[in-house]
Protein backbone atom coordinates (compact mmCIF):
# COMPACT_ATOMS: atom_id res chain seq x y z
CA UNK A 1 0.00 0.00 0.00
CA UNK A 2 1.22 3.50 -0.78
CA UNK A 3 2.35 5.56 2.21
CA UNK A 4 -0.41 8.09 1.56
CA UNK A 5 -3.09 5.43 1.82
CA UNK A 6 -1.48 3.88 4.88
CA UNK A 7 -1.50 7.31 6.49
CA UNK A 8 -5.17 7.99 5.64
CA UNK A 9 -6.74 4.66 6.43
CA UNK A 10 -7.81 3.75 9.93
CA UNK A 11 -10.62 1.83 11.61
CA UNK A 12 -13.27 4.31 10.41
CA UNK A 13 -13.99 5.30 6.81
CA UNK A 14 -12.29 8.39 5.39
CA UNK A 15 -14.89 11.03 4.49
CA UNK A 16 -14.52 12.29 0.92
CA UNK A 17 -16.56 15.02 -0.77
CA UNK A 18 -19.93 15.48 -2.49
CA UNK A 19 -21.17 16.77 -5.86
CA UNK A 20 -19.46 19.72 -7.57
CA UNK A 21 -21.51 20.42 -10.69
CA UNK A 22 -24.73 21.31 -8.88
CA UNK A 23 -22.77 23.43 -6.39
CA UNK A 24 -21.16 25.35 -9.24
CA UNK A 25 -24.54 25.85 -10.88
CA UNK A 26 -25.84 27.29 -7.62
CA UNK A 27 -22.98 29.80 -7.88
CA UNK A 28 -24.05 30.79 -11.38
CA UNK A 29 -22.44 28.28 -13.77
CA UNK A 30 -24.73 28.45 -16.83
CA UNK A 31 -26.47 25.27 -17.94
CA UNK A 32 -24.64 23.47 -20.72
CA UNK A 33 -21.32 25.21 -20.07
CA UNK A 34 -18.31 23.00 -19.33
CA UNK A 35 -17.77 23.36 -15.55
CA UNK A 36 -14.04 22.60 -15.89
CA UNK A 37 -13.49 25.78 -17.89
CA UNK A 38 -14.32 27.71 -14.74
CA UNK A 39 -10.95 26.65 -13.29
CA UNK A 40 -9.51 29.35 -15.56
CA UNK A 41 -12.33 31.90 -15.71
CA UNK A 42 -13.82 31.69 -12.19
CA UNK A 43 -11.19 30.07 -9.93
CA UNK A 44 -12.56 31.89 -6.88
CA UNK A 45 -16.00 30.28 -7.26
CA UNK A 46 -14.54 26.81 -7.85
CA UNK A 47 -12.42 27.35 -4.76
CA UNK A 48 -15.59 28.21 -2.83
CA UNK A 49 -17.01 24.75 -3.60
CA UNK A 50 -13.77 23.02 -2.64
CA UNK A 51 -13.64 25.07 0.56
CA UNK A 52 -17.23 24.21 1.47
CA UNK A 53 -16.34 20.52 1.47
CA UNK A 54 -13.17 20.99 3.51
CA UNK A 55 -15.17 23.04 6.01
CA UNK A 56 -17.85 20.35 6.13
CA UNK A 57 -15.26 17.78 7.17
CA UNK A 58 -14.01 16.16 3.95
CA UNK A 59 -10.59 14.61 4.50
CA UNK A 60 -10.26 13.97 0.77
CA UNK A 61 -11.52 16.45 -1.81
CA UNK A 62 -11.56 16.00 -5.55
CA UNK A 63 -10.83 18.54 -8.30
CA UNK A 64 -13.00 20.23 -10.92
CA UNK A 65 -11.33 18.25 -13.71
CA UNK A 66 -13.86 15.46 -14.38
CA UNK A 67 -14.14 16.37 -18.10
CA UNK A 68 -10.59 17.59 -18.59
CA UNK A 69 -9.27 14.89 -20.89
CA UNK A 70 -8.41 16.00 -24.42
CA UNK A 71 -11.25 14.05 -26.05
CA UNK A 72 -13.99 15.64 -23.94
CA UNK A 73 -12.46 19.13 -23.84
CA UNK A 74 -12.20 19.08 -27.64
CA UNK A 75 -15.97 18.66 -27.81
CA UNK A 76 -16.29 21.75 -25.60
CA UNK A 77 -13.87 23.74 -27.74
CA UNK A 78 -11.18 23.74 -25.04
CA UNK A 79 -8.64 21.36 -26.58
CA UNK A 80 -5.80 23.86 -26.30
CA UNK A 81 -6.36 24.34 -22.57
CA UNK A 82 -5.97 20.73 -21.34
CA UNK A 83 -2.81 21.29 -19.29
CA UNK A 84 -3.89 24.63 -17.85
CA UNK A 85 -7.34 23.47 -16.77
CA UNK A 86 -6.00 20.37 -15.03
CA UNK A 87 -3.17 22.19 -13.30
CA UNK A 88 -5.50 24.97 -12.17
CA UNK A 89 -7.94 22.36 -10.86
CA UNK A 90 -5.30 20.84 -8.57
CA UNK A 91 -4.06 24.25 -7.47
CA UNK A 92 -7.58 25.40 -6.54
CA UNK A 93 -8.36 22.28 -4.51
CA UNK A 94 -4.93 22.36 -2.89
CA UNK A 95 -5.48 25.96 -1.86
CA UNK A 96 -8.79 25.07 -0.23
CA UNK A 97 -7.49 21.87 1.38
CA UNK A 98 -4.35 23.28 2.92
CA UNK A 99 -3.17 20.72 5.46
CA UNK A 100 -6.73 19.74 6.39
CA UNK A 101 -7.50 17.46 3.44
CA UNK A 102 -5.82 15.49 0.68
CA UNK A 103 -6.44 16.29 -2.97
CA UNK A 104 -7.51 13.38 -5.17
CA UNK A 105 -7.72 14.63 -8.76
CA UNK A 106 -10.80 13.65 -10.76
CA UNK A 107 -10.62 11.87 -14.12
CA UNK A 108 -13.96 11.07 -15.79
CA UNK A 109 -14.82 9.06 -18.91
CA UNK A 110 -14.16 10.34 -22.44
CA UNK A 111 -17.84 10.11 -23.36
CA UNK A 112 -16.96 8.00 -26.42
CA UNK A 113 -17.49 4.29 -26.80
CA UNK A 114 -14.52 2.10 -27.60
CA UNK A 115 -16.57 -0.79 -28.91
CA UNK A 116 -18.42 1.43 -31.38
CA UNK A 117 -15.04 2.44 -32.80
CA UNK A 118 -15.68 6.10 -31.95
CA UNK A 119 -12.19 6.32 -30.45
CA UNK A 120 -9.22 3.97 -30.47
CA UNK A 121 -7.63 2.46 -27.37
CA UNK A 122 -4.49 4.40 -28.16
CA UNK A 123 -6.31 7.74 -28.32
CA UNK A 124 -8.01 7.03 -25.00
CA UNK A 125 -4.75 5.93 -23.38
CA UNK A 126 -2.90 9.00 -24.63
CA UNK A 127 -5.67 11.34 -23.48
CA UNK A 128 -5.58 9.84 -19.98
CA UNK A 129 -1.77 9.90 -19.80
CA UNK A 130 -1.82 13.56 -20.77
CA UNK A 131 -4.48 14.41 -18.18
CA UNK A 132 -2.86 12.33 -15.43
CA UNK A 133 0.51 14.01 -15.99
CA UNK A 134 -1.13 17.43 -15.82
CA UNK A 135 -2.68 16.41 -12.47
CA UNK A 136 0.59 15.11 -11.04
CA UNK A 137 0.70 17.71 -8.25
CA UNK A 138 -2.31 16.03 -6.59
CA UNK A 139 -1.97 13.44 -3.81
CA UNK A 140 -3.77 10.74 -5.80
CA UNK A 141 -5.83 10.27 -8.96
CA UNK A 142 -9.49 9.18 -9.04
CA UNK A 143 -10.85 7.56 -12.18
CA UNK A 144 -14.59 7.83 -11.61
CA UNK A 145 -18.06 7.37 -13.08
CA UNK A 146 -16.81 4.80 -15.59
CA UNK A 147 -19.44 2.67 -17.38
CA UNK A 148 -17.09 0.67 -19.56
CA UNK A 149 -14.62 -1.62 -17.82
CA UNK A 150 -12.34 -1.53 -20.86
CA UNK A 151 -12.07 2.27 -20.73
CA UNK A 152 -11.53 2.11 -16.95
CA UNK A 153 -8.66 -0.36 -17.38
CA UNK A 154 -7.01 1.85 -19.97
CA UNK A 155 -7.45 4.85 -17.65
CA UNK A 156 -5.86 2.97 -14.73
CA UNK A 157 -2.88 1.94 -16.84
CA UNK A 158 -2.51 5.55 -18.03
CA UNK A 159 -2.87 7.03 -14.53
CA UNK A 160 -0.32 4.61 -13.09
CA UNK A 161 2.39 6.08 -15.35
CA UNK A 162 2.42 9.16 -13.08
CA UNK A 163 3.38 7.24 -9.92
CA UNK A 164 0.50 8.45 -7.70
CA UNK A 165 -2.00 6.12 -5.98
CA UNK A 166 -4.99 5.49 -8.26
CA UNK A 167 -8.64 5.04 -7.28
CA UNK A 168 -10.83 3.40 -9.96
CA UNK A 169 -14.58 3.77 -9.50
CA UNK A 170 -17.38 2.56 -11.74
CA UNK A 171 -21.12 3.13 -12.08
CA UNK A 172 -23.39 0.17 -11.29
CA UNK A 173 -26.92 0.97 -12.46
CA UNK A 174 -27.91 -1.77 -14.92
CA UNK A 175 -29.48 -5.19 -14.85
CA UNK A 176 -32.39 -6.55 -12.87
CA UNK A 177 -30.68 -6.05 -9.52
CA UNK A 178 -28.86 -2.85 -10.53
CA UNK A 179 -25.58 -4.57 -9.83
CA UNK A 180 -24.01 -4.39 -13.29
CA UNK A 181 -22.24 -1.66 -15.20
CA UNK A 182 -23.93 -0.40 -18.36
CA UNK A 183 -21.78 -2.88 -20.28
CA UNK A 184 -22.87 -5.75 -18.02
CA UNK A 185 -19.83 -6.22 -15.75
CA UNK A 186 -20.45 -7.48 -12.20
CA UNK A 187 -18.73 -6.09 -9.08
CA UNK A 188 -16.55 -9.22 -9.04
CA UNK A 189 -15.47 -8.74 -12.67
CA UNK A 190 -14.77 -5.07 -12.04
CA UNK A 191 -12.78 -5.75 -8.87
CA UNK A 192 -10.71 -8.43 -10.52
CA UNK A 193 -9.98 -6.48 -13.70
CA UNK A 194 -9.14 -3.20 -11.99
CA UNK A 195 -7.01 -4.87 -9.33
CA UNK A 196 -5.10 -6.56 -12.10
CA UNK A 197 -4.80 -3.27 -14.04
CA UNK A 198 -2.94 -1.82 -11.05
CA UNK A 199 -5.54 0.27 -9.19
CA UNK A 200 -4.78 0.99 -5.52
CA UNK A 201 -8.41 1.55 -4.47
CA UNK A 202 -11.56 0.21 -6.14
CA UNK A 203 -14.99 1.70 -5.95
CA UNK A 204 -18.45 2.60 -7.14
CA UNK A 205 -20.07 6.00 -7.61
CA UNK A 206 -23.09 7.73 -9.17
CA UNK A 207 -26.01 5.77 -10.66
CA UNK A 208 -27.51 4.47 -7.41
CA UNK A 209 -28.37 5.76 -3.96
CA UNK A 210 -26.89 4.50 -0.71
CA UNK A 211 -29.28 1.54 -0.58
CA UNK A 212 -28.14 0.20 -3.94
CA UNK A 213 -24.44 0.59 -3.18
CA UNK A 214 -24.40 -1.31 0.11
CA UNK A 215 -24.59 -4.75 -1.56
CA UNK A 216 -22.24 -3.61 -4.33
CA UNK A 217 -19.72 -2.45 -1.70
CA UNK A 218 -19.95 -5.80 0.11
CA UNK A 219 -19.31 -7.69 -3.11
CA UNK A 220 -16.38 -5.46 -4.13
CA UNK A 221 -14.92 -5.95 -0.65
CA UNK A 222 -15.11 -9.73 -0.98
CA UNK A 223 -13.59 -9.69 -4.44
CA UNK A 224 -10.43 -7.67 -3.79
CA UNK A 225 -7.99 -7.07 -0.93
CA UNK A 226 -7.78 -3.38 -1.95
CA UNK A 227 -9.52 -0.56 -0.04
CA UNK A 228 -13.05 0.27 -1.26
CA UNK A 229 -14.33 3.73 -2.27
CA UNK A 230 -18.08 4.48 -2.41
CA UNK A 231 -19.88 7.69 -3.46
CA UNK A 232 -23.61 7.13 -3.95
CA UNK A 233 -26.16 9.63 -5.26
CA UNK A 234 -28.66 11.22 -2.88
CA UNK A 235 -31.19 8.55 -3.81
CA UNK A 236 -32.80 8.24 -7.22
CA UNK A 237 -33.61 11.46 -9.07
CA UNK A 238 -37.18 12.52 -9.67
CA UNK A 239 -38.29 15.06 -12.21
CA UNK A 240 -40.50 17.79 -10.77
CA UNK A 241 -41.60 20.63 -13.09
CA UNK A 242 -38.58 20.09 -15.29
CA UNK A 243 -36.16 20.10 -12.37
CA UNK A 244 -34.27 17.13 -11.02
CA UNK A 245 -34.97 16.53 -7.35
CA UNK A 246 -33.16 14.12 -5.04
CA UNK A 247 -35.31 13.11 -2.09
CA UNK A 248 -32.76 11.60 0.29
CA UNK A 249 -31.91 13.95 3.15
CA UNK A 250 -28.38 14.31 4.56
CA UNK A 251 -29.46 12.60 7.79
CA UNK A 252 -30.97 9.57 5.99
CA UNK A 253 -27.92 9.33 3.75
CA UNK A 254 -25.57 9.32 6.71
CA UNK A 255 -27.66 6.83 8.66
CA UNK A 256 -27.59 4.37 5.74
CA UNK A 257 -23.81 4.89 5.47
CA UNK A 258 -23.40 2.94 8.71
CA UNK A 259 -23.79 -0.19 6.61
CA UNK A 260 -20.82 0.87 4.49
CA UNK A 261 -18.69 1.10 7.59
CA UNK A 262 -19.86 -2.37 8.63
CA UNK A 263 -18.95 -3.62 5.15
CA UNK A 264 -15.41 -2.32 5.67
CA UNK A 265 -15.55 0.47 3.11
CA UNK A 266 -12.48 2.72 3.35
CA UNK A 267 -13.69 5.92 1.67
CA UNK A 268 -17.24 7.30 1.81
CA UNK A 269 -18.65 10.40 0.10
CA UNK A 270 -21.49 11.43 -2.18
CA UNK A 271 -22.18 11.95 -5.86
CA UNK A 272 -25.12 13.62 -7.68
CA UNK A 273 -27.57 15.45 -5.43
CA UNK A 274 -25.21 15.59 -2.44
CA UNK A 275 -23.82 18.76 -0.90
CA UNK A 276 -21.61 19.88 2.01
CA UNK A 277 -24.58 19.16 4.34
CA UNK A 278 -24.35 15.47 3.35
CA UNK A 279 -20.64 15.44 4.14
CA UNK A 280 -21.25 17.12 7.46
CA UNK A 281 -23.87 14.47 8.29
CA UNK A 282 -21.51 11.64 7.25
CA UNK A 283 -18.82 13.14 9.43
CA UNK A 284 -21.12 13.17 12.44
CA UNK A 285 -22.23 9.55 11.99
CA UNK A 286 -19.02 7.89 10.81
CA UNK A 287 -16.33 9.91 12.60
CA UNK A 288 -17.99 11.25 15.75
CA UNK B 1 -29.87 -22.99 -49.30
CA UNK B 2 -30.41 -25.67 -46.73
CA UNK B 3 -29.66 -23.96 -43.53
CA UNK B 4 -31.07 -20.46 -43.13
CA UNK B 5 -31.18 -21.02 -39.40
CA UNK B 6 -27.47 -20.21 -39.40
CA UNK B 7 -28.47 -16.66 -40.20
CA UNK B 8 -30.57 -16.52 -37.05
CA UNK B 9 -27.59 -17.71 -35.01
CA UNK B 10 -25.21 -15.25 -36.63
CA UNK B 11 -27.44 -12.34 -35.62
CA UNK B 12 -28.08 -13.72 -32.16
CA UNK B 13 -24.37 -14.13 -31.43
CA UNK B 14 -23.45 -10.89 -33.20
CA UNK B 15 -21.13 -12.56 -35.67
CA UNK B 16 -21.12 -9.96 -38.43
CA UNK B 17 -18.64 -11.79 -40.66
CA UNK B 18 -20.82 -14.88 -40.64
CA UNK B 19 -23.93 -12.75 -41.14
CA UNK B 20 -22.46 -11.19 -44.24
CA UNK B 21 -21.19 -14.49 -45.66
CA UNK B 22 -24.43 -16.35 -45.06
CA UNK B 23 -26.39 -13.49 -46.60
CA UNK B 24 -24.21 -13.53 -49.70
CA UNK B 25 -24.47 -17.31 -50.04
CA UNK B 26 -28.24 -17.19 -49.60
CA UNK B 27 -28.64 -14.44 -52.18
CA UNK B 28 -26.35 -16.33 -54.62
CA UNK B 29 -28.50 -19.42 -54.09
CA UNK B 30 -31.59 -17.45 -55.01
CA UNK B 31 -33.15 -17.13 -51.57
CA UNK B 32 -35.74 -14.36 -51.42
CA UNK B 33 -34.09 -11.62 -49.33
CA UNK B 34 -37.47 -10.77 -47.82
CA UNK B 35 -37.71 -14.34 -46.48
CA UNK B 36 -34.25 -14.10 -44.97
CA UNK B 37 -35.15 -10.84 -43.27
CA UNK B 38 -38.61 -11.78 -42.07
CA UNK B 39 -38.02 -15.39 -41.06
CA UNK B 40 -34.51 -15.28 -39.64
CA UNK B 41 -33.08 -11.85 -39.02
CA UNK B 42 -36.01 -10.02 -37.44
CA UNK B 43 -36.87 -12.94 -35.13
CA UNK B 44 -33.18 -13.14 -34.12
CA UNK B 45 -33.15 -9.44 -33.27
CA UNK B 46 -36.38 -9.99 -31.36
CA UNK B 47 -34.66 -12.65 -29.28
CA UNK B 48 -31.71 -10.32 -28.70
CA UNK B 49 -34.16 -7.73 -27.40
CA UNK B 50 -35.86 -10.30 -25.17
CA UNK B 51 -32.54 -11.33 -23.66
CA UNK B 52 -31.65 -7.68 -23.10
CA UNK B 53 -34.92 -7.01 -21.31
CA UNK B 54 -34.36 -10.18 -19.26
CA UNK B 55 -30.85 -9.00 -18.27
CA UNK B 56 -29.18 -11.88 -20.06
CA UNK B 57 -27.74 -9.52 -22.65
CA UNK B 58 -26.24 -6.09 -22.01
CA UNK B 59 -25.26 -3.16 -24.21
CA UNK B 60 -22.25 -4.87 -25.84
CA UNK B 61 -24.38 -7.82 -26.99
CA UNK B 62 -27.04 -5.45 -28.35
CA UNK B 63 -24.41 -3.58 -30.28
CA UNK B 64 -22.71 -6.55 -31.89
CA UNK B 65 -26.05 -8.03 -32.94
CA UNK B 66 -27.14 -4.70 -34.40
CA UNK B 67 -23.82 -4.56 -36.25
CA UNK B 68 -24.37 -8.04 -37.69
CA UNK B 69 -27.86 -7.01 -38.81
CA UNK B 70 -26.46 -3.93 -40.47
CA UNK B 71 -23.75 -5.91 -42.28
CA UNK B 72 -26.36 -8.21 -43.72
CA UNK B 73 -28.85 -5.48 -44.57
CA UNK B 74 -26.20 -3.63 -46.53
CA UNK B 75 -26.20 -6.53 -49.00
CA UNK B 76 -29.96 -6.97 -48.96
CA UNK B 77 -31.18 -3.39 -49.09
CA UNK B 78 -30.19 -2.65 -52.72
CA UNK B 79 -32.15 -5.73 -53.84
CA UNK B 80 -35.20 -4.69 -51.88
CA UNK B 81 -34.90 -1.12 -53.12
CA UNK B 82 -34.74 -2.38 -56.72
CA UNK B 83 -38.10 -4.02 -56.11
CA UNK B 84 -39.45 -0.74 -54.84
CA UNK B 85 -39.48 -1.84 -51.21
CA UNK B 86 -39.00 1.01 -48.77
CA UNK B 87 -36.84 0.82 -45.60
CA UNK B 88 -38.65 0.22 -42.30
CA UNK B 89 -38.66 3.98 -41.97
CA UNK B 90 -36.45 7.03 -42.22
CA UNK B 91 -35.30 8.57 -38.94
CA UNK B 92 -33.55 11.84 -38.31
CA UNK B 93 -31.67 11.50 -35.02
CA UNK B 94 -29.60 13.88 -32.91
CA UNK B 95 -28.63 15.08 -29.44
CA UNK B 96 -30.38 18.40 -28.85
CA UNK B 97 -28.92 21.89 -28.80
CA UNK B 98 -26.50 22.58 -25.95
CA UNK B 99 -25.86 18.90 -25.22
CA UNK B 100 -22.68 17.15 -26.36
CA UNK B 101 -23.40 13.63 -25.09
CA UNK B 102 -23.71 11.07 -27.82
CA UNK B 103 -23.42 7.56 -26.36
CA UNK B 104 -27.17 7.06 -25.87
CA UNK B 105 -27.96 8.60 -29.23
CA UNK B 106 -25.38 6.39 -30.98
CA UNK B 107 -26.77 3.26 -29.34
CA UNK B 108 -30.27 4.08 -30.53
CA UNK B 109 -28.98 4.89 -34.03
CA UNK B 110 -27.14 1.55 -34.20
CA UNK B 111 -30.19 -0.38 -33.05
CA UNK B 112 -32.47 1.41 -35.52
CA UNK B 113 -30.07 0.67 -38.36
CA UNK B 114 -30.01 -2.95 -37.26
CA UNK B 115 -33.79 -2.97 -37.41
CA UNK B 116 -33.74 -1.80 -41.03
CA UNK B 117 -34.40 1.90 -40.55
CA UNK B 118 -32.56 4.43 -42.65
CA UNK B 119 -30.86 6.63 -40.06
CA UNK B 120 -29.80 10.21 -40.70
CA UNK B 121 -27.53 11.08 -37.79
CA UNK B 122 -27.14 14.83 -37.23
CA UNK B 123 -24.67 14.39 -34.35
CA UNK B 124 -24.68 16.43 -31.13
CA UNK B 125 -25.69 20.00 -30.24
CA UNK B 126 -28.28 19.95 -33.02
CA UNK B 127 -30.35 23.13 -33.40
CA UNK B 128 -34.11 22.98 -34.12
CA UNK B 129 -33.35 24.49 -37.56
CA UNK B 130 -30.99 21.62 -38.41
CA UNK B 131 -33.62 19.07 -37.43
CA UNK B 132 -36.22 20.80 -39.62
CA UNK B 133 -33.91 21.13 -42.62
CA UNK B 134 -33.01 17.43 -42.43
CA UNK B 135 -36.67 16.42 -42.08
CA UNK B 136 -37.61 18.39 -45.15
CA UNK B 137 -34.67 17.42 -47.31
CA UNK B 138 -34.71 13.72 -46.46
CA UNK B 139 -38.47 13.24 -46.16
CA UNK B 140 -38.07 11.47 -42.84
CA UNK B 141 -41.16 10.33 -40.99
CA UNK B 142 -39.51 10.12 -37.59
CA UNK B 143 -37.42 12.41 -35.41
CA UNK B 144 -35.48 10.93 -32.48
CA UNK B 145 -34.01 13.35 -29.95
CA UNK B 146 -31.63 12.66 -27.08
CA UNK B 147 -30.48 14.68 -24.05
CA UNK B 148 -28.42 13.60 -21.05
CA UNK B 149 -28.71 16.75 -18.99
CA UNK B 150 -31.72 18.24 -17.21
CA UNK B 151 -30.38 21.60 -18.26
CA UNK B 152 -30.47 20.78 -21.98
CA UNK B 153 -33.67 18.76 -21.92
CA UNK B 154 -35.68 21.89 -22.62
CA UNK B 155 -34.16 22.03 -26.10
CA UNK B 156 -36.46 19.08 -26.83
CA UNK B 157 -39.46 21.26 -26.19
CA UNK B 158 -37.98 24.10 -28.26
CA UNK B 159 -37.43 21.66 -31.12
CA UNK B 160 -40.94 20.21 -30.94
CA UNK B 161 -42.33 23.76 -30.98
CA UNK B 162 -40.09 24.75 -33.90
CA UNK B 163 -41.22 21.73 -35.91
CA UNK B 164 -44.82 22.78 -35.31
CA UNK B 165 -44.05 26.40 -36.21
CA UNK B 166 -42.43 25.21 -39.45
CA UNK B 167 -45.72 23.59 -40.37
CA UNK B 168 -44.40 20.00 -40.61
CA UNK B 169 -45.58 18.63 -37.27
CA UNK B 170 -48.30 16.51 -38.89
CA UNK B 171 -45.78 14.86 -41.22
CA UNK B 172 -43.50 13.47 -38.51
CA UNK B 173 -43.61 11.46 -35.34
CA UNK B 174 -41.29 12.61 -32.58
CA UNK B 175 -39.62 10.27 -30.08
CA UNK B 176 -37.33 11.26 -27.22
CA UNK B 177 -34.99 9.61 -24.73
CA UNK B 178 -32.06 10.20 -22.36
CA UNK B 179 -31.28 9.83 -18.67
CA UNK B 180 -33.56 12.58 -17.28
CA UNK B 181 -36.38 12.05 -19.81
CA UNK B 182 -39.65 10.41 -18.78
CA UNK B 183 -42.97 9.52 -20.39
CA UNK B 184 -44.48 12.36 -18.41
CA UNK B 185 -42.03 14.82 -19.94
CA UNK B 186 -42.74 13.45 -23.43
CA UNK B 187 -46.45 14.04 -22.84
CA UNK B 188 -45.82 17.53 -21.48
CA UNK B 189 -43.87 18.73 -24.51
CA UNK B 190 -46.10 17.02 -27.04
CA UNK B 191 -43.69 14.32 -28.26
CA UNK B 192 -45.26 11.15 -29.66
CA UNK B 193 -43.25 8.72 -27.58
CA UNK B 194 -40.50 8.04 -25.08
CA UNK B 195 -38.31 5.00 -24.55
CA UNK B 196 -35.95 4.24 -21.71
CA UNK B 197 -33.36 2.24 -23.65
CA UNK B 198 -32.05 1.51 -27.14
CA UNK B 199 -33.93 -1.77 -27.46
CA UNK B 200 -37.27 -0.23 -26.50
CA UNK B 201 -36.55 2.62 -28.92
CA UNK B 202 -36.76 0.18 -31.85
CA UNK B 203 -40.19 -1.09 -30.81
CA UNK B 204 -41.34 2.50 -30.35
CA UNK B 205 -40.00 3.55 -33.76
CA UNK B 206 -41.85 0.62 -35.38
CA UNK B 207 -45.04 1.50 -33.59
CA UNK B 208 -44.82 5.18 -34.53
CA UNK B 209 -43.95 4.36 -38.15
CA UNK B 210 -46.96 2.08 -38.44
CA UNK B 211 -49.33 4.61 -36.89
Amino acid sequence: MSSLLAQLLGPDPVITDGAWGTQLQALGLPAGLCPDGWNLTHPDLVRQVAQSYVDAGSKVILTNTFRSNRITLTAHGLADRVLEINRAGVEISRGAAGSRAKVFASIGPTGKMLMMGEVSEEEVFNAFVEQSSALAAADALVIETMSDLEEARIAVRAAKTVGLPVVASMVFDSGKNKDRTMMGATPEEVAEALTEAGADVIGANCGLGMEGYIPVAQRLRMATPLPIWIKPNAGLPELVDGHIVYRTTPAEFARQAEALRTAGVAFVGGCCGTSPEFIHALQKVLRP
Amino acid sequence: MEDLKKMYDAILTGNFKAAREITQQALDAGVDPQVLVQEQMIPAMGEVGRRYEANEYFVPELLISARAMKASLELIRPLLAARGAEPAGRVVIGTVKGDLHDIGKNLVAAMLEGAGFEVIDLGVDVTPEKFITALNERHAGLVAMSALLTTTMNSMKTTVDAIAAAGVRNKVKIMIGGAPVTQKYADEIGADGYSSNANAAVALARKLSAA
Side-chain angles (χ1 to χ4, degrees):
Chain A
M1 189 181 290
S2 79
S3 58
L4 169 87
L5 293 177
Q7 178 199 333
L8 275 172
L9 296 176
D12 293 319
V14 176
I15 311 292
T16 64
D17 63 2
W20 284 59
T22 38
Q23 301 297 304
L24 288 169
Q25 276 174 4
L27 293 173
L29 175 79
L33 198 82
C34 178
D36 303 26
W38 264 31
N39 291 351
L40 303 180
T41 57
H42 299 75
D44 45 333
L45 294 179
V46 178
R47 160 103 184 223
Q48 213 172 303
V49 173
Q51 194 69 56
S52 68
Y53 283 117
V54 177
D55 294 344
S58 297
K59 293 297 175 227
V60 163
I61 60 168
L62 271 54
T63 54
N64 184 36
T65 54
F66 180 74
R67 301 153 197 82
S68 300
N69 67 78
R70 176 168 297 275
I71 295 167
T72 308
L73 284 186
T74 300
H76 288 281
L78 292 167
D80 53 341
R81 316 299 289 273
V82 176
L83 296 183
E84 279 171 276
I85 291 176
N86 282 296
R87 283 178 187 152
V90 175
E91 225 167 89
I92 291 166
S93 288
R94 182 69 79 198
S99 58
R100 294 198 284 160
K102 299 292 178 193
V103 175
F104 282 34
S106 168
I107 298 175
T110 61
K112 300 285 169 198
M113 275 182 103
L114 281 160
M115 77 163 293
M116 303 266 282
E118 295 170 1
V119 278
S120 69
E121 286 189 20
E122 198 189 351
E123 281 172 285
V124 171
F125 180 75
N126 290 341
F128 285 135
V129 167
E130 179 186 38
Q131 185 182 6
S132 302
S133 315
L135 294 169
D139 297 306
L141 301 175
V142 182
I143 293 154
E144 56 173 347
T145 326
M146 288 280 168
S147 299
D148 179 0
L149 185 51
E150 199 45 48
E151 183 176 359
R153 283 161 66 158
I154 295 172
V156 169
R157 276 199 290 117
K160 285 305 283 185
T161 61
V162 177
L164 293 174
V166 173
V167 180
S169 176
M170 300 200 60
V171 184
F172 295 85
D173 62 352
S174 300
K176 219 172 4 225
N177 302 318
K178 305 286 176 207
D179 60 352
R180 308 279 198 118
T181 66
M182 181 180 87
M183 306 298 269
T186 62
E188 291 75 20
E189 287 163 351
V190 164
E192 190 183 337
L194 297 180
T195 303
E196 195 187 292
D200 298 279
V201 177
I202 291 180
N205 74 290
C206 208
L208 297 179
M210 195 57 93
E211 217 172 73
Y213 272 144
I214 292 164
V216 169
Q218 289 164 341
R219 288 171 64 182
L220 288 172
R221 184 82 172 77
M222 295 297 289
T224 177
L226 297 177
I228 304 299
W229 164 285
I230 303 283
K231 292 183 97 185
N233 289 345
L236 296 176
E238 288 173 41
L239 197 69
V240 178
D241 299 328
H243 295 282
I244 285 280
V245 180
Y246 289 89
R247 302 280 189 192
T248 306
T249 65
E252 285 165 5
F253 189 81
R255 197 171 51 242
Q256 291 174 302
E258 274 288 358
L260 292 182
R261 186 222 308 263
T262 311
V265 171
F267 295 90
V268 178
C271 203
C272 303
T274 64
S275 63
E277 289 74 43
F278 284 73
I279 298 309
H280 187 65
L282 281 179
Q283 164 78 21
K284 279 202 299 195
V285 171
L286 298 179
R287 306 284 297 242
Chain B
M1 202 175 131
E2 80 288 358
D3 202 2
L4 288 181
K5 182 73 172 45
K6 276 187 190 156
M7 189 65 207
Y8 181 93
D9 296 335
I11 301 293
L12 190 61
T13 56
N15 187 338
F16 85 94
K17 267 178 86 177
R20 200 158 50 195
E21 279 167 24
I22 297 164
T23 306
Q24 194 58 59
Q25 286 163 17
L27 295 178
D28 292 347
V31 172
D32 182 343
Q34 200 64 261
V35 169
L36 197 60
V37 172
Q38 295 298 336
E39 291 177 12
Q40 303 300 333
M41 296 164 63
I42 288 178
M45 225 34 214
E47 174 62 13
V48 170
R50 192 199 65 75
R51 291 185 183 191
Y52 177 75
E53 298 293 342
N55 292 295
E56 292 163 30
Y57 273 13
F58 287 86
V59 165
E61 290 82 11
L62 275 189
L63 279 174
I64 58 173
S65 289
R67 196 161 56 187
M69 276 295 274
K70 192 181 165 194
S72 173
L73 285 171
E74 274 164 7
L75 298 173
I76 290 174
R77 196 170 287 135
L79 301 176
L80 294 181
R83 283 191 198 169
E86 286 284 320
R90 206 168 275 132
V91 189
V92 167
I93 191 169
T95 303
V96 294
K97 185 166 182 289
D99 200 320
L100 301 171
H101 297 90
D102 60 1
I103 286 183
K105 184 263 297 172
N106 291 348
L107 288 175
V108 172
M111 289 299 287
L112 288 173
E113 279 185 337
F117 283 83
E118 186 182 329
V119 176
I120 300 138
D121 188 346
L122 303 181
V124 297
D125 194 14
V126 180
T127 61
E129 296 72 39
K130 267 202 255 175
F131 273 111
I132 292 166
T133 307
L135 278 175
N136 288 335
E137 284 177 358
R138 307 294 292 270
H139 305 289
L142 263 176
V143 184
M145 290 189 274
S146 168
L148 182 75
L149 306 175
T150 50
T151 46
T152 53
M153 221 167 88
N154 281 332
S155 297
M156 291 182 161
K157 177 170 171 27
T158 321
T159 308
V160 173
D161 293 346
I163 290 171
V168 291
R169 182 66 185 89
N170 58 351
K171 290 187 197 158
V172 294
K173 299 285 186 194
I174 301 175
M175 53 191 274
I176 62 175
V181 180
T182 59
Q183 182 61 51
K184 187 164 161 263
Y185 183 71
D187 295 340
E188 269 170 29
I189 67 167
D192 297 297
Y194 151 79
S195 65
S196 64
N197 63 61
N199 182 56
V202 172
L204 176 64
R206 286 213 183 97
K207 190 180 114 198
L208 292 177
S209 303

